[in-house]
Amino acid sequence: KVGAFPHRKELKDFDFTFQPSINQEQILDFLTLRFIEQKENIVFLGPSGVGKTHLATSIGIAAAKKRTSTYFIKCHELIQNLKKALLENRLESRLKHYSKYKLLIIDEIGYLPIDTEDAKLFFQLIDMRYEKKSTIFTTNINFKAWDEVFQEPKLANAILDRILHHATVVPIVGDSYRIKDYLDKESE
Ligand code: ADP
Ligand code: MG
């Protein structure tokens, strides 16, 4: 089943020369989807506009094309949905729903703070997928600062532990592609 991707961004549309900190071979290796067979995670880590969502989406589309059940969701929306399910006494079935995807893409961890109750819901999902399913995360927050995002350090640690145990972290440093035209003008 093909998840709802926010935009159809594929790898052919990605300009690797603009972002030299990214290892193209590594990204191409993700497209083989071996990481899904091995139930490994990918974390794209870097500032706004460097291509995290684009790359995560490319991999998701490749997986969906090969009929791997894939779903893309923003972290904030995921948590809102879990919260709503909790209030409506259907948390278990919602968690099961999100755990069944062979590949889940959780976009934008860290742009919005996550309170303790929300972090507990998020933890439950991460724990259910741990070592069973692959998840791709995008985040602009260094792991050391996840305490501040999740507010409760123990919970932040338990979440990070499970995410990173079998994961490839792709740190991206560089300029935002969104404002590249302005940067070009500045240097003229
Ligand atoms: P992030 O998730 O890191 O904030 P995005 O992946 O949303 O950034 O990228 C911002 C915009 O710039 C998107 O429209 C994306 O397709 C485009 N983009 C980013 N990096 C590149 C690149 N290296 N080549 C082509 N387009 C890019
Ligand atoms: Mg993004």
Side-chain angles (χ1 to χ4, degrees):
K1 200 175 127 215
V2 181
F5 293 100
H7 36 229
R8 282 200 79 84
K9 299 281 180 172
E10 299 196 50
L11 207 62
K12 61 174 167 51
D13 311 313
F14 196 82
D15 178 6
F16 282 94
T17 60
F18 183 79
Q19 219 55 269
S21 76
I22 298 173
N23 177 350
Q24 188 170 354
E25 313 246 297
Q26 183 182 42
I27 306 298
L28 289 174
D29 187 64
F30 293 146
L31 290 196
T32 65
L33 308 181
R34 260 195 301 272
F35 76 100
I36 298 177
E37 275 163 47
Q38 288 162 5
K39 295 146 188 22
E40 289 169 2
N41 300 327
I42 301 171
V43 184
F44 290 106
L45 169 66
S48 181
V50 294
K52 303 182 299 295
T53 301
H54 187 137
L55 292 171
T57 302
S58 306
I59 299 166
I61 290 174
K65 278 182 178 168
K66 288 192 185 161
R67 302 192 172 276
T68 301
S69 62
T70 302
Y71 197 73
F72 179 105
I73 192 162
K74 283 192 184 190
C75 183
H76 179 69
E77 192 190 336
L78 172 72
I79 287 173
Q80 291 311 310
N81 290 350
L82 291 176
K83 226 161 130 155
K84 187 159 176 282
L86 177 67
L87 288 174
E88 293 169 358
N89 273 315
R90 49 181 187 83
L91 179 62
E92 271 315 302
S93 79
R94 228 356 36 190
L95 283 169
K96 274 193 194 129
H97 169 81
Y98 288 129
S99 337
K100 75 173 201 268
Y101 293 104
K102 286 231 172 91
L103 176 62
L104 183 65
I105 301 169
I106 304 179
D107 195 33
E108 292 188 358
I109 297 181
Y111 282 106
L112 297 169
I114 298 166
D115 71 28
T116 304
E117 287 314 304
D118 291 357
K120 283 180 187 160
L121 297 175
F122 189 71
F123 169 78
Q124 288 185 64
L125 177 63
I126 298 304
D127 191 48
M128 278 171 92
R129 294 184 62 83
Y130 173 61
E131 295 189 323
K132 293 196 181 70
K133 300 283 168 58
S134 290
T135 311
I136 300 178
F137 303 87
T138 81
T139 183
N140 63 329
I141 306 287
N142 283 316
F143 301 127
K144 277 187 190 145
W146 278 39
D147 278 13
E148 286 149 46
V149 176
F150 289 97
Q151 294 164 26
E152 165 107 30
K154 270 188 197 160
L155 215 42
N157 211 49
I159 291 167
L160 255 188
D161 230 41
R162 283 164 181 75
I163 291 177
L164 295 180
H165 186 192
H166 309 285
T168 306
V169 178
V170 183
I172 308 176
V173 290
D175 292 329
S176 168
Y177 193 87
R178 290 194 186 97
I179 60 166
K180 72 174 170 46
D181 297 338
Y182 300 97
L183 298 173
D184 286 349
K185 286 204 183 76
E186 262 175 17
S187 61
E188 268 168 17

